[in-house]
Amino acid sequence: PVSVPQAITAGFFYHTARLARGGYRTVKHQQPVFIHPNSALFALQPRWVLYHELVCTSKEFMRQVIEIDSSWLLEVAPHYYQAKELEDGSGRKMPKKAGKAR
């Protein structure tokens, strides 16, 4: 069975970002982006997110953000992503309290 977040990932697979030092970076273009402060996920900082839109104010902010699993991207868009781009890095050291939404 497919969950709602997986279905949304299938439609917006190109709007993804992963947690990095100092914020998030889009998966394909490594553009620095940030979760909008009004988002429920702002304080949680999940490792992988999918966003609906980017809003440029003082920074590039992601709005309408959900947490995703990086493995879903290879399932729904093998034509767009390569496994190397989606290496989780879960073994890498993250800042305290970062990447702990799951």
Side-chain angles (χ1 to χ4, degrees):
V2 176
S3 68
V4 172
Q6 285 175 302
I8 293 170
T9 302
F12 290 94
F13 61 85
Y14 45 88
H15 284 176
T16 54
R18 99 176 63 183
L19 187 60
R21 286 201 171 116
Y24 286 83
R25 292 204 170 261
T26 58
V27 176
K28 272 293 188 183
H29 303 293
Q30 299 300 306
Q31 175 184 355
V33 292
F34 301 87
I35 294 178
H36 195 278
N38 290 341
S39 172
L41 293 181
F42 180 74
L44 296 177
Q45 295 184 323
R47 286 184 182 268
W48 290 87
V49 295
L50 181 138
Y51 58 90
H52 179 259
E53 65 181 346
L54 287 176
V55 177
C56 185
T57 55
S58 58
K59 300 177 182 176
E60 289 272 356
F61 286 109
M62 300 178 284
R63 292 190 14 184
Q64 292 89 35
V65 180
I66 64 169
E67 180 179 13
I68 63 166
D69 187 318
S70 62
S71 66
W72 298 345
L73 295 171
L74 269 182
E75 290 174 24
V76 301
H79 59 285
Y80 192 74
Y81 290 108
Q82 296 175 1
K84 186 176 180 178
E85 292 175 298
L86 303 175
E87 288 175 356
D88 193 323
S90 56
R92 274 190 251 152
K93 197 169 184 179
M94 297 297 284
K96 288 184 181 178
K97 296 184 183 176
K100 295 195 181 217
R102 284 193 184 253

